[in-house]
Amino acid sequence: MSKKMIAPIVVTVIMLAYFLFYFGILVAVIDSILLKLLFVCIPVALAVVIVFVCMQRINEIRSGEEDDLSKY
């Protein structure tokens, strides 16, 4: 594993842990079923996006496209 891949993976893990902790507490405190469902759907969607972006970044690092700004 390249050193350049460590940062995106660490940031992804930290963000996923934050979502799990923060929204887990919110779901435990809120009584309404509708709000609980809402507070579960939003972080799940965000977590999927974060993992997808991390996978894209790892693929860019592996393919050698490390500087995206050089294209513009």
Side-chain angles (χ1 to χ4, degrees):
M1 181 184 316
S2 172
K3 288 183 180 181
K4 295 176 184 178
M5 290 185 197
I6 294 173
I9 293 171
V10 168
V11 170
T12 301
V13 169
I14 289 171
M15 290 301 295
L16 292 176
Y18 168 75
F19 285 145
L20 180 66
F21 177 73
Y22 183 74
F23 289 105
I25 289 176
L26 280 179
V27 168
V29 172
I30 296 174
D31 293 331
S32 171
I33 298 295
L34 183 61
L35 285 176
K36 282 186 181 186
L37 183 63
L38 180 69
F39 281 120
V40 168
C41 292
I42 291 172
V44 167
L46 290 174
V48 168
V49 169
I50 289 172
V51 170
F52 179 73
V53 169
C54 181
M55 290 185 332
Q56 279 185 331
R57 181 64 186 143
I58 289 172
N59 288 337
E60 287 177 358
I61 292 171
R62 285 184 181 160
S63 70
E65 295 179 31
E66 297 179 25
D67 187 15
D68 291 339
L69 293 176
S70 65
K71 294 180 185 177
Y72 301 105

